[in-house]
Coordinates of all heavy atoms in Angstrom, one line a residue:
L1 N -7.1 15.6 15.5 CA -6.3 15.6 14.2 C -6.9 16.5 13.2 O -6.1 17.2 12.5 CB -6.3 14.1 13.7 CG -5.5 13.1 14.4 CD1 -5.6 11.7 13.9 CD2 -4.0 13.5 14.5
R2 N -8.2 16.6 13.1 CA -8.8 17.6 12.2 C -8.4 19.0 12.5 O -8.1 19.8 11.5 CB -10.3 17.5 12.2 CG -10.8 16.2 11.5 CD -12.3 16.3 11.4 NE -12.8 15.0 10.9 CZ -13.9 14.4 11.3 NH1 -14.7 15.0 12.2 NH2 -14.2 13.2 10.8
Q3 N -8.2 19.3 13.7 CA -7.8 20.7 14.1 C -6.4 21.0 13.6 O -6.0 22.1 13.4 CB -7.9 20.9 15.6 CG -9.4 20.9 16.1 CD -9.4 20.9 17.6 OE1 -8.5 20.6 18.3 NE2 -10.6 21.3 18.2
R4 N -5.6 20.0 13.4 CA -4.3 20.1 13.0 C -4.1 19.9 11.4 O -3.0 19.9 10.9 CB -3.4 19.1 13.7 CG -3.3 19.4 15.1 CD -2.3 18.5 15.8 NE -2.2 18.8 17.2 CZ -1.3 18.4 18.0 NH1 -0.4 17.6 17.6 NH2 -1.4 18.7 19.3
G5 N -5.3 19.8 10.8 CA -5.3 19.7 9.3 C -5.1 18.3 8.8 O -4.9 18.1 7.6
A6 N -5.2 17.3 9.6 CA -5.1 15.9 9.1 C -6.4 15.5 8.4 O -7.5 15.9 8.7 CB -4.9 15.0 10.3
T7 N -6.2 14.8 7.3 CA -7.3 14.3 6.5 C -7.0 12.8 6.2 O -5.9 12.3 6.5 CB -7.4 15.0 5.1 OG1 -6.1 14.8 4.4 CG2 -7.6 16.5 5.3
G8 N -8.0 12.1 5.7 CA -7.9 10.7 5.4 C -8.3 10.5 3.9 O -9.0 11.4 3.3
V9 N -7.9 9.4 3.4 CA -8.2 9.1 2.0 C -8.7 7.6 2.0 O -8.3 6.8 2.9 CB -7.1 9.3 1.0 CG1 -6.7 10.7 0.9 CG2 -5.9 8.4 1.3
A10 N -9.4 7.2 1.0 CA -9.8 5.8 0.9 C -9.2 5.3 -0.4 O -9.0 6.0 -1.4 CB -11.3 5.7 0.8
V11 N -8.8 4.0 -0.4 CA -8.3 3.3 -1.5 C -9.1 2.1 -1.8 O -9.7 1.5 -0.9 CB -6.8 2.9 -1.4 CG1 -5.9 4.1 -1.3 CG2 -6.6 2.0 -0.2
T12 N -9.1 1.7 -3.1 CA -9.9 0.5 -3.5 C -9.1 -0.8 -3.3 O -7.8 -0.7 -3.2 CB -10.3 0.6 -4.9 OG1 -9.2 0.5 -5.8 CG2 -11.1 1.9 -5.2
E13 N -9.8 -1.9 -3.3 CA -9.0 -3.2 -3.3 C -8.1 -3.3 -4.5 O -7.0 -3.8 -4.3 CB -10.0 -4.3 -3.2 CG -9.4 -5.6 -3.0 CD -10.4 -6.8 -2.7 OE1 -11.3 -6.6 -1.9 OE2 -10.2 -7.8 -3.4
G14 N -8.5 -2.8 -5.6 CA -7.7 -2.9 -6.8 C -6.4 -2.0 -6.7 O -5.4 -2.4 -7.1
E15 N -6.6 -0.9 -6.0 CA -5.4 0.0 -5.8 C -4.4 -0.7 -4.8 O -3.2 -0.6 -4.9 CB -5.8 1.4 -5.3 CG -6.5 2.2 -6.4 CD -7.3 3.4 -5.9 OE1 -7.7 3.4 -4.7 OE2 -7.5 4.3 -6.8
V16 N -5.0 -1.3 -3.8 CA -4.2 -2.1 -2.8 C -3.4 -3.2 -3.5 O -2.2 -3.4 -3.3 CB -5.0 -2.6 -1.6 CG1 -4.2 -3.6 -0.8 CG2 -5.5 -1.4 -0.8
A17 N -4.1 -3.9 -4.4 CA -3.5 -5.0 -5.1 C -2.4 -4.5 -6.0 O -1.3 -5.1 -6.1 CB -4.6 -5.8 -6.0
A18 N -2.6 -3.4 -6.7 CA -1.6 -2.8 -7.5 C -0.4 -2.4 -6.7 O 0.8 -2.6 -7.1 CB -2.1 -1.6 -8.3
A19 N -0.6 -1.9 -5.5 CA 0.5 -1.5 -4.6 C 1.3 -2.8 -4.2 O 2.5 -2.7 -4.1 CB 0.0 -0.7 -3.4
M20 N 0.6 -3.8 -3.9 CA 1.2 -5.1 -3.5 C 2.1 -5.6 -4.6 O 3.2 -6.0 -4.4 CB 0.2 -6.1 -3.1 CG -0.5 -5.8 -1.8 SD -1.9 -6.9 -1.4 CE -1.1 -8.4 -1.1
R21 N 1.6 -5.5 -5.9 CA 2.4 -5.9 -7.0 C 3.6 -5.0 -7.2 O 4.7 -5.5 -7.4 CB 1.5 -5.9 -8.3 CG 0.6 -7.1 -8.5 CD 0.0 -7.1 -9.9 NE -0.8 -6.0 -10.2 CZ -2.1 -5.9 -9.8 NH1 -2.7 -6.8 -9.1 NH2 -2.8 -4.8 -10.1
F22 N 3.4 -3.7 -7.0 CA 4.5 -2.8 -7.1 C 5.6 -3.1 -6.1 O 6.8 -3.1 -6.4 CB 4.0 -1.4 -6.9 CG 5.1 -0.3 -7.0 CD1 5.4 0.3 -8.1 CD2 5.8 0.1 -5.8 CE1 6.4 1.2 -8.2 CE2 6.8 1.0 -5.8 CZ 7.1 1.6 -7.0
A23 N 5.2 -3.4 -4.8 CA 6.1 -3.7 -3.8 C 6.9 -4.9 -4.1 O 8.1 -5.0 -3.8 CB 5.4 -3.8 -2.4
M24 N 6.3 -5.9 -4.6 CA 7.0 -7.2 -5.0 C 7.9 -7.0 -6.1 O 9.1 -7.3 -6.1 CB 6.0 -8.3 -5.3 CG 6.6 -9.6 -5.8 SD 8.0 -10.2 -4.9 CE 7.2 -11.1 -3.7
T25 N 7.4 -6.4 -7.2 CA 8.2 -6.2 -8.4 C 9.3 -5.2 -8.3 O 10.4 -5.5 -8.8 CB 7.2 -5.7 -9.6 OG1 6.2 -6.7 -9.7 CG2 8.0 -5.6 -10.9
N26 N 9.1 -4.1 -7.6 CA 10.1 -3.0 -7.6 C 10.9 -3.0 -6.3 O 12.0 -2.5 -6.3 CB 9.4 -1.7 -7.8 CG 8.8 -1.5 -9.1 OD1 9.4 -1.3 -10.1 ND2 7.5 -1.7 -9.2
L27 N 10.4 -3.5 -5.2 CA 11.1 -3.5 -3.9 C 11.4 -4.8 -3.4 O 12.1 -4.9 -2.4 CB 10.2 -2.7 -2.9 CG 9.7 -1.3 -3.3 CD1 8.7 -0.8 -2.3 CD2 10.8 -0.4 -3.5
G28 N 10.9 -5.9 -4.0 CA 11.2 -7.3 -3.5 C 10.5 -7.6 -2.2 O 11.0 -8.4 -1.4
L29 N 9.4 -6.9 -1.9 CA 8.7 -7.0 -0.6 C 7.4 -7.7 -0.7 O 6.6 -7.4 -1.6 CB 8.5 -5.7 0.1 CG 9.7 -4.8 0.4 CD1 9.3 -3.5 0.9 CD2 10.6 -5.5 1.5
V30 N 7.1 -8.7 0.1 CA 5.8 -9.3 0.2 C 5.1 -8.6 1.4 O 5.6 -8.6 2.5 CB 5.9 -10.8 0.5 CG1 4.5 -11.4 0.8 CG2 6.6 -11.5 -0.6
L31 N 4.0 -7.9 1.1 CA 3.3 -7.1 2.0 C 1.8 -7.6 2.1 O 1.2 -8.0 1.1 CB 3.3 -5.6 1.7 CG 4.7 -5.0 1.6 CD1 4.6 -3.6 1.0 CD2 5.4 -5.0 2.9
E32 N 1.3 -7.5 3.3 CA -0.1 -7.8 3.5 C -0.9 -6.6 3.0 O -0.4 -5.5 3.0 CB -0.4 -8.1 4.9 CG -0.2 -7.0 5.9 CD -0.3 -7.5 7.4 OE1 0.5 -8.4 7.8 OE2 -1.2 -7.0 8.0
P33 N -2.2 -6.8 2.7 CA -3.0 -5.7 2.1 C -3.0 -4.5 3.0 O -2.8 -3.3 2.6 CB -4.4 -6.3 2.0 CG -4.1 -7.8 1.7 CD -2.9 -8.1 2.6
G34 N -3.3 -4.6 4.3 CA -3.4 -3.5 5.2 C -2.1 -2.7 5.4 O -2.1 -1.5 5.6
G35 N -0.9 -3.4 5.2 CA 0.4 -2.8 5.3 C 0.8 -2.1 4.0 O 1.8 -1.5 3.9
T36 N -0.1 -2.1 3.0 CA 0.2 -1.5 1.7 C -0.7 -0.3 1.4 O -0.5 0.3 0.3 CB 0.0 -2.6 0.6 OG1 0.6 -3.8 1.0 CG2 0.7 -2.2 -0.7
V37 N -1.6 0.0 2.3 CA -2.6 1.0 2.0 C -2.0 2.4 1.7 O -2.4 3.1 0.8 CB -3.6 1.1 3.1 CG1 -4.5 2.3 3.0 CG2 -4.5 -0.2 3.2
A38 N -1.0 2.8 2.5 CA -0.3 4.1 2.3 C 0.3 4.1 0.9 O 0.2 5.1 0.2 CB 0.7 4.3 3.4
L39 N 1.0 3.1 0.5 CA 1.6 3.0 -0.8 C 0.6 3.1 -1.9 O 0.7 3.8 -2.9 CB 2.5 1.7 -1.0 CG 3.2 1.5 -2.3 CD1 4.1 2.7 -2.6 CD2 3.9 0.2 -2.3
A40 N -0.6 2.4 -1.7 CA -1.7 2.5 -2.7 C -2.1 3.9 -2.8 O -2.4 4.3 -4.0 CB -2.8 1.6 -2.2
A41 N -2.3 4.6 -1.8 CA -2.7 6.0 -1.8 C -1.7 6.9 -2.6 O -2.1 7.7 -3.4 CB -2.9 6.6 -0.4
V42 N -0.5 6.6 -2.4 CA 0.6 7.4 -3.2 C 0.5 7.0 -4.6 O 0.5 7.9 -5.5 CB 2.0 7.1 -2.6 CG1 3.1 7.7 -3.5 CG2 2.1 7.7 -1.2
L43 N 0.5 5.7 -4.9 CA 0.5 5.3 -6.3 C -0.7 5.7 -7.1 O -0.7 6.0 -8.3 CB 0.7 3.8 -6.4 CG 2.1 3.2 -5.9 CD1 2.1 1.7 -6.0 CD2 3.2 3.8 -6.7
A44 N -1.8 5.8 -6.4 CA -3.1 6.3 -7.0 C -3.2 7.8 -7.0 O -4.3 8.3 -7.4 CB -4.3 5.6 -6.3
S45 N -2.2 8.5 -6.6 CA -2.2 10.0 -6.6 C -3.3 10.5 -5.8 O -3.9 11.6 -6.1 CB -2.2 10.5 -8.0 OG -1.1 10.1 -8.8
K46 N -3.6 9.9 -4.6 CA -4.6 10.4 -3.7 C -4.0 11.2 -2.6 O -4.8 11.8 -1.9 CB -5.4 9.2 -3.2 CG -6.2 8.5 -4.2 CD -7.1 7.5 -3.7 CE -8.0 6.9 -4.8 NZ -9.0 6.0 -4.2
V47 N -2.7 11.3 -2.5 CA -2.1 12.1 -1.5 C -0.9 12.9 -2.2 O -0.3 12.3 -3.2 CB -1.5 11.4 -0.3 CG1 -2.7 10.8 0.5 CG2 -0.6 10.3 -0.7
A48 N -0.7 14.1 -1.8 CA 0.5 14.8 -2.3 C 1.8 14.3 -1.7 O 1.8 14.0 -0.5 CB 0.3 16.3 -2.0
V49 N 2.8 14.2 -2.5 CA 4.1 13.7 -2.0 C 5.1 14.7 -2.4 O 5.0 15.4 -3.4 CB 4.5 12.3 -2.5 CG1 3.5 11.3 -2.0 CG2 4.5 12.2 -4.0
D50 N 6.2 14.8 -1.7 CA 7.3 15.6 -2.0 C 8.6 14.9 -1.5 O 8.5 13.8 -1.1 CB 7.2 17.0 -1.4 CG 7.1 17.1 0.1 OD1 7.6 16.1 0.8 OD2 6.5 18.0 0.6
D51 N 9.7 15.6 -1.6 CA 11.0 14.9 -1.2 C 11.1 14.5 0.3 O 11.9 13.7 0.7 CB 12.2 15.9 -1.5 CG 12.4 16.0 -3.0 OD1 11.9 15.2 -3.8 OD2 13.0 17.0 -3.4
A52 N 10.2 15.1 1.1 CA 10.2 14.8 2.5 C 9.1 13.7 2.9 O 9.0 13.3 4.1 CB 9.9 16.0 3.4
T53 N 8.4 13.2 1.9 CA 7.4 12.2 2.2 C 8.0 10.8 2.5 O 8.9 10.4 1.9 CB 6.5 12.0 0.9 OG1 5.9 13.3 0.6 CG2 5.4 11.0 1.2
I54 N 7.4 10.2 3.6 CA 7.8 8.9 4.0 C 6.6 8.0 4.0 O 5.5 8.4 4.5 CB 8.4 8.9 5.4 CG1 9.7 9.7 5.5 CG2 8.6 7.5 5.9 CD1 10.2 10.0 6.9
V55 N 6.7 6.8 3.4 CA 5.6 5.9 3.3 C 6.0 4.7 4.1 O 7.1 4.1 3.9 CB 5.3 5.5 1.9 CG1 4.2 4.4 1.9 CG2 4.8 6.7 1.1
T56 N 5.2 4.3 5.1 CA 5.5 3.1 5.9 C 4.8 1.9 5.3 O 3.6 1.9 5.1 CB 5.0 3.3 7.4 OG1 5.7 4.5 7.9 CG2 5.3 2.1 8.2
L57 N 5.6 0.9 5.1 CA 5.1 -0.4 4.6 C 5.3 -1.4 5.7 O 6.4 -1.5 6.3 CB 5.9 -0.8 3.3 CG 5.9 0.2 2.2 CD1 6.9 -0.3 1.1 CD2 4.6 0.4 1.7
S58 N 4.3 -2.3 5.9 CA 4.4 -3.2 7.0 C 3.7 -4.5 6.7 O 2.9 -4.6 5.8 CB 3.9 -2.6 8.3 OG 2.5 -2.4 8.2
G59 N 4.1 -5.5 7.5 CA 3.4 -6.8 7.4 C 3.8 -7.7 6.3 O 4.0 -7.4 5.2
R60 N 3.8 -9.0 6.7 CA 4.0 -10.1 5.8 C 3.0 -11.2 6.2 O 3.1 -12.3 5.7 CB 5.4 -10.5 5.8 CG 5.8 -11.5 4.7 CD 7.2 -11.9 4.8 NE 7.4 -13.0 3.8 CZ 8.4 -13.1 3.0 NH1 9.3 -12.1 2.9 NH2 8.5 -14.1 2.2
N61 N 2.1 -10.8 7.0 CA 1.1 -11.8 7.5 C 0.0 -11.9 6.6 O -1.1 -11.4 6.8 CB 0.6 -11.3 8.9 CG -0.3 -12.4 9.6 OD1 -0.2 -13.5 9.3 ND2 -1.1 -11.9 10.4
V62 N 0.2 -12.6 5.5 CA -0.8 -12.8 4.5 C -0.8 -14.2 4.0 O 0.3 -14.8 3.8 CB -0.6 -11.8 3.3 CG1 0.7 -12.0 2.6 CG2 -1.8 -11.9 2.3
D63 N -2.0 -14.8 3.9 CA -2.1 -16.2 3.4 C -1.6 -16.3 2.0 O -1.9 -15.4 1.2 CB -3.6 -16.5 3.5 CG -3.9 -17.9 2.8 OD1 -3.5 -18.9 3.5 OD2 -4.4 -17.9 1.7
P64 N -0.7 -17.3 1.7 CA -0.2 -17.3 0.4 C -1.2 -17.3 -0.8 O -1.0 -16.7 -1.8 CB 0.6 -18.7 0.4 CG 1.0 -18.8 1.8 CD -0.2 -18.3 2.6
A65 N -2.3 -18.0 -0.6 CA -3.3 -18.1 -1.6 C -4.0 -16.7 -1.8 O -4.2 -16.3 -2.9 CB -4.4 -19.1 -1.3
T66 N -4.2 -16.0 -0.7 CA -4.8 -14.7 -0.8 C -3.8 -13.7 -1.5 O -4.2 -12.9 -2.3 CB -5.1 -14.2 0.6 OG1 -6.0 -15.0 1.2 CG2 -5.6 -12.7 0.6
Y67 N -2.5 -13.9 -1.1 CA -1.5 -13.0 -1.7 C -1.5 -13.2 -3.2 O -1.5 -12.3 -4.0 CB -0.1 -13.3 -1.1 CG 1.0 -12.4 -1.6 CD1 1.1 -11.1 -1.2 CD2 1.8 -12.9 -2.6 CE1 2.1 -10.3 -1.7 CE2 2.8 -12.1 -3.1 CZ 2.9 -10.8 -2.7 OH 3.9 -10.0 -3.2
R68 N -1.4 -14.5 -3.7 CA -1.4 -14.8 -5.1 C -2.6 -14.2 -5.8 O -2.5 -13.7 -6.9 CB -1.2 -16.3 -5.3 CG 0.1 -16.8 -5.0 CD 0.3 -18.3 -5.5 NE -0.6 -19.2 -4.9 CZ -0.4 -19.8 -3.7 NH1 0.7 -19.5 -3.1 NH2 -1.3 -20.6 -3.2
A69 N -3.8 -14.3 -5.2 CA -5.0 -13.8 -5.8 C -4.9 -12.3 -5.9 O -5.4 -11.7 -6.9 CB -6.2 -14.2 -5.0
M70 N -4.4 -11.6 -4.9 CA -4.3 -10.2 -4.9 C -3.4 -9.6 -5.9 O -3.6 -8.6 -6.6 CB -3.9 -9.6 -3.5 CG -4.9 -9.8 -2.4 SD -6.3 -8.7 -2.5 CE -5.6 -7.1 -2.3
I71 N -2.2 -10.3 -6.1 CA -1.2 -9.8 -7.1 C -1.4 -10.4 -8.5 O -0.7 -10.0 -9.4 CB 0.2 -9.9 -6.6 CG1 0.6 -11.4 -6.5 CG2 0.4 -9.2 -5.3 CD1 2.1 -11.6 -6.3
G72 N -2.3 -11.3 -8.6 CA -2.6 -11.9 -9.9 C -1.6 -12.9 -10.4 O -1.4 -13.0 -11.6
T73 N -1.1 -13.7 -9.5 CA -0.2 -14.8 -10.0 C -0.8 -16.1 -9.7 O -1.6 -16.3 -8.9 CB 1.2 -14.7 -9.4 OG1 1.1 -14.8 -8.0 CG2 1.9 -13.4 -9.7

């Protein structure tokens, strides 16, 4: 992947939590933390996006108590 110019980024737990809140508030989606990492990177401006950018969101396999703690409700 490196030979093709692929890179990786890291996001914090706080950025993941913010993305989970965004997904619920703006998209009506309940997402597990791992399924929200790409959105977190976009919202934290850690990756460049343009009109052709696609972000995959996945998972709803999250414990309700964990989810509430992550989104702050």
Side-chain angles (χ1 to χ4, degrees):
L1 290 174
R2 286 187 187 143
Q3 292 173 342
R4 294 184 180 193
T7 59
V9 297
V11 294
T12 66
E13 188 172 311
E15 290 166 338
V16 170
M20 290 172 69
R21 279 190 299 277
F22 178 91
M24 171 50 82
T25 304
N26 296 284
L27 307 173
L29 298 174
V30 174
L31 300 172
E32 63 188 64
T36 315
V37 170
L39 180 60
V42 168
L43 294 175
S45 299
K46 293 189 175 185
V47 294
V49 297
D50 60 26
D51 291 342
T53 302
I54 297 172
V55 176
T56 300
L57 305 173
S58 64
R60 190 179 170 133
N61 185 25
V62 60
D63 174 73
T66 301
Y67 182 77
R68 286 190 299 274
M70 290 289 293
I71 67 166
T73 61

